[in-house]
Amino acid sequence: MNSKIFRTRQAPSPTGYLHLGTARTVLFTDLITRHNQGQWFLRIEDTDQKRLQGDAVVNLLTALEGLGLAAKEGVTLQDTQKGFNEFYNVYQQGDFGPYIQSERLELYHKYAQKLIDMRAGYWAFETIEEKEELKKIKDVTKSAIDYYKFNIEKVGEEKMYQSVEQGLKDDNRPTLRFRLQRPETIQVFDELLGKVKIDLSLEEDFTILKSDGFPTYALAHVVDDYLMQTSLVIRAQEWMPSLARHVMLFQTMWEDCEIVMETKNGKNVPEYLHLSFILGETGNKKMSKRDGNVNMQDYLDKGYLPEAVVNYLAFLGWNPGTDKELYLNKEDFELPFAQRLEKLLDNLAVDFSIDKLSKSPARINFKKLDWFNREYIKMLSLEEFIDRAQKLKPDFEIDSNNLPYILDKNRVTLLTDIGLESDCIFNYQKPLNEDVKWKKISLQESLDNLQQISEFVISKLDEVENYTNTLNKETKPLQIDKFIDIVKKWEDIVKNWLSQNDYQAGNFLWPLRVKLSGKVKSPSPFEILALLDSDQIR
């Protein structure tokens, strides 16, 4: 490729919500761009005026921002003080705009006229009835429809090659077709699927400009991707049968132009990558609403963490070739949310490459998504867990009665599970047994350590109680910020003691936590100490 900067894009249609499959395509676009140290932009494909939804772009951008996948170029929710589109209520930023295709009609008409002048585009005048008749003949003869021949015989060359302006005013409402059909075999190349030979005599001329003056996807993306210097077009595998059409249109349109890029598909033709389908949990059909929710925003509203969703989506059709699955660790959750998502994408991008993508369809697995969510919820601080959960359940009140369930965040699957009964019911009467044994040290040593740290904790009860009183802690409702302060107080006290004595933390904290909770799976010992009163601790 000859282009100086690696550039790619996504161009969703504003016809609804952010589909799970579209979210994965955007994610892969972002990761491939990062891996190639390039840039990607977001363009809105709104040439099908019958399917437009005015709020769809804001909904789509909101969901993408929630996943950390907002493009730095193109259509944006950020107020750029320029490029504002009143219909969609969005802005545009970048040097290659406008990035909304309905604002680019003059450009499409200009290049449609170029194809007419080259005799590569012609106006087609078939009626609905005539099209149906041609299809019936095709079914019998098993040969491609020759639209060019039909129109020559029907209206003649003069009408077929009239200007764009004349064609759009024509009372017969013709459409503009690209003359693809020819006695020639070409070879096209896909970055994932490889080389494919296409016999153009079996192809049919296709529409590039509709009678309403709007281009089809074929013409619009060929114009836009050349002018916007797109290096790689990433799209769903359902577009693979159209690759020959688009390559030939690119080659014809830009053959006499300055070389922006050169790939295996020819001069001024971008590379293409057709991603595998996403199948439902069962069967061999593409995922649909019957297989589960496909609206990406609903997953976030339901209580899935963006970190978990992004990490999971990356594995739908890609594998790093290692056992690694989680691309964030506990320390990363100390970063602010936006920086954390950025680091997740950077971490994934290091391992992400086209040669590790699967040609076979990916299969959705909601149990695996749940696993990712549980693992990342465990990494959240208690404060962030409660904050993010309460944004989804604003009516949920935190008090001393339900705090034990909140503390059991390590056991929940969704943020919206906050407050639901879980396994964090303390069993203080449970007798000590082998559970207090920590890893490689003996049971007796664990018991000795438990005795030592228990005596230390008891010796600090008055200090913590005095600290608690200075916070004006109320029993009901328990203020979560005050509770977290007490947790931190206990953590500082105990960790300082461990450090001063050069003790290994696990040797002492594990038996203490098991003793306090009566369970091997429970909140941290500092959270339990903050929850219990002095008598319970003693």
Side-chain angles (χ1 to χ4, degrees):
M1 181 181 306
N2 294 337
S3 56
K4 295 180 181 179
I5 301 175
F6 179 88
R7 284 174 59 82
T8 186
R9 69 358 177 232
Q10 278 305 308
S13 299
T15 55
Y17 48 76
L18 175 63
H19 191 283
L20 183 146
T22 303
R24 185 197 65 162
T25 303
V26 173
L27 171 61
F28 281 16
T29 298
D30 186 286
L31 296 179
I32 289 173
T33 303
R34 288 171 188 259
H35 188 82
N36 288 277
Q37 298 181 330
Q39 56 196 43
W40 73 277
F41 57 93
L42 186 71
R43 192 170 66 216
I44 295 299
E45 183 193 330
D46 62 344
T47 59
D48 188 348
Q49 296 289 290
K50 296 178 181 178
R51 300 176 61 214
L52 298 187
Q53 295 182 23
D55 59 351
V57 177
V58 168
N59 292 341
L60 182 142
L61 293 178
T62 300
L64 286 177
E65 282 197 355
L67 295 172
L69 295 173
K72 295 179 176 62
E73 179 185 341
V75 182
T76 177
L77 293 175
Q78 306 305 315
D79 187 349
T80 62
Q81 299 296 317
K82 64 178 182 179
F84 181 69
N85 184 287
E86 293 185 0
F87 181 74
Y88 297 121
N89 198 31
V90 294
Y91 296 86
Q92 302 175 63
Q93 57 187 1
D95 298 328
F96 295 91
Y99 295 88
I100 297 175
Q101 289 184 332
S102 58
E103 297 181 11
R104 298 171 65 84
L105 289 187
E106 287 187 14
L107 276 173
Y108 304 135
H109 292 174
K110 171 184 174 181
Y111 289 107
Q113 185 62 53
K114 177 181 178 179
L115 291 172
I116 292 174
D117 295 341
M118 297 171 67
R119 292 299 191 260
Y122 64 89
W123 290 102
F125 290 82
E126 316 97 45
T127 64
I128 295 177
E129 294 75 19
E130 287 170 336
K131 288 180 182 178
E132 290 299 321
E133 186 62 29
L134 288 170
K135 288 178 181 178
K136 290 178 182 178
I137 296 173
K138 176 182 178 178
D139 291 339
V140 174
T141 63
K142 307 299 181 184
S143 59
I145 299 172
D146 190 339
Y147 287 107
Y148 180 80
K149 179 182 178 182
F150 177 86
N151 282 282
I152 277 283
E153 294 174 352
K154 180 176 180 177
V155 299
E157 284 195 13
E158 184 176 352
K159 289 282 284 183
M160 288 173 62
Y161 292 115
Q162 62 186 327
S163 68
V164 169
E165 183 179 1
Q166 291 170 327
L168 294 179
K169 291 179 180 179
D170 195 303
D171 292 337
N172 294 300
R173 297 182 59 78
T175 59
L176 190 69
R177 288 186 183 274
F178 176 68
R179 192 173 181 185
L180 174 69
Q181 193 178 75
R182 63 193 77 177
E184 180 183 347
T185 297
I186 67 165
Q187 180 175 277
V188 294
F189 186 85
D190 177 81
E191 291 298 307
L192 179 61
L193 303 176
K195 299 176 183 177
V196 180
K197 287 187 177 181
I198 304 292
D199 184 351
L200 295 182
S201 67
L202 303 178
E203 297 292 316
E204 294 174 352
D205 298 346
F206 57 94
T207 301
I208 56 176
L209 193 66
K210 296 173 285 188
S211 59
D212 62 2
F214 281 84
T216 62
Y217 167 79
L219 177 61
H221 100 275
V222 166
V223 171
D224 293 345
D225 284 328
Y226 173 78
L227 296 179
M228 296 179 180
Q229 299 183 13
T230 302
S231 311
L232 174 67
V233 175
I234 304 171
R235 58 189 187 184
Q237 212 167 90
E238 63 193 41
W239 285 104
M240 185 63 190
S242 300
L243 181 56
R245 294 182 173 190
H246 300 157
V247 167
M248 291 303 296
L249 187 51
F250 258 109
Q251 290 181 354
T252 304
M253 179 80 80
W254 310 113
E255 181 180 11
D256 59 348
C257 296
E258 176 189 355
I259 298 179
V260 175
M261 70 192 78
E262 192 161 3
T263 70
K264 299 180 185 73
N265 285 317
K267 182 178 71 174
N268 288 330
V269 185
E271 294 174 338
Y272 280 86
L273 173 62
H274 293 87
L275 299 175
S276 61
F277 295 117
I278 300 177
L279 305 180
E281 285 197 292
T282 59
N284 293 310
K285 293 183 178 181
K286 287 195 301 181
M287 184 183 177
S288 66
K289 290 183 178 180
R290 288 174 293 182
D291 302 298
N293 199 342
V294 293
N295 184 343
M296 203 68 260
Q297 185 62 50
D298 285 349
Y299 285 89
L300 303 178
D301 294 342
K302 189 176 181 180
Y304 285 99
L305 297 176
E307 299 92 328
V309 172
V310 169
N311 203 148
Y312 173 71
L313 287 178
F315 279 84
L316 280 180
W318 168 78
N319 192 299
T322 66
D323 294 333
K324 186 175 182 178
E325 292 184 286
L326 296 172
Y327 275 77
L328 287 175
N329 56 43
K330 177 69 173 178
E331 289 71 27
D332 294 327
F333 278 76
E334 297 175 3
L335 295 171
F337 175 67
Q339 292 181 28
R340 187 188 312 158
L341 283 177
E342 191 73 10
K343 183 168 185 180
L344 171 60
L345 293 169
D346 283 339
N347 290 345
L348 285 164
V350 171
D351 292 342
F352 201 91
S353 59
I354 293 174
D355 63 323
K356 293 179 181 178
L357 294 175
S358 174
K359 297 179 182 179
S360 302
R363 188 175 293 282
I364 196 75
N365 183 337
F366 292 111
K367 289 183 179 179
K368 190 66 177 180
L369 174 58
D370 288 347
W371 177 82
F372 273 104
N373 211 52
R374 284 194 296 270
E375 291 303 307
Y376 280 143
I377 283 179
K378 292 176 186 177
M379 297 182 192
L380 290 174
S381 68
L382 180 63
E383 188 172 17
E384 185 178 0
F385 169 70
I386 292 173
D387 178 64
R388 290 171 70 168
Q390 281 196 302
K391 288 178 180 177
L392 298 176
K393 296 180 69 174
D395 296 333
F396 177 72
E397 294 183 359
I398 299 169
D399 58 35
S400 57
N401 291 327
N402 61 31
L403 192 57
Y405 305 115
I406 300 169
L407 290 182
D408 199 22
K409 70 179 180 66
N410 290 358
R411 309 282 288 178
V412 303
T413 297
L414 302 171
L415 288 175
T416 47
D417 290 340
I418 187 172
L420 299 180
E421 185 171 345
S422 65
D423 287 338
C424 186
I425 308 295
F426 297 156
N427 181 10
Y428 310 116
Q429 304 305 315
K430 182 177 180 180
L432 289 173
N433 54 27
E434 291 282 340
D435 289 341
V436 299
K437 181 180 179 301
W438 172 246
K439 292 187 176 180
K440 295 182 179 180
I441 66 175
S442 67
L443 174 60
Q444 186 57 53
E445 187 175 355
S446 293
L447 290 171
D448 292 342
N449 290 345
L450 173 61
Q451 180 66 30
Q452 190 175 354
I453 194 172
S454 296
E455 291 174 356
F456 172 74
V457 166
I458 291 173
S459 72
K460 295 295 181 179
L461 285 175
D462 289 342
E463 178 183 339
V464 175
E465 186 173 353
N466 291 335
Y467 176 77
T468 301
N469 290 336
T470 63
L471 297 176
N472 296 319
K473 173 177 173 288
E474 300 175 0
T475 303
K476 294 183 180 180
L478 182 63
Q479 300 296 315
I480 190 59
D481 56 339
K482 296 177 181 178
F483 172 77
I484 290 174
D485 285 341
I486 300 170
V487 172
K488 291 178 178 177
K489 179 67 173 178
W490 271 118
E491 186 173 6
D492 289 342
I493 288 173
V494 175
K495 285 189 173 180
N496 284 337
W497 176 74
L498 292 170
S499 177
Q500 290 170 3
N501 290 281
D502 198 24
Y503 289 151
Q504 292 293 320
N507 293 347
F508 290 82
L509 296 182
W510 173 269
L512 177 65
R513 183 171 63 78
V514 173
K515 174 61 176 175
L516 288 171
S517 67
K519 288 180 173 289
V520 295
K521 293 183 177 181
S522 63
S524 78
F526 313 117
E527 292 168 352
I528 301 173
L529 287 169
L531 177 68
L532 302 179
D533 59 35
S534 297
D535 291 338
Q536 290 173 315
I537 294 173
R538 286 190 176 93

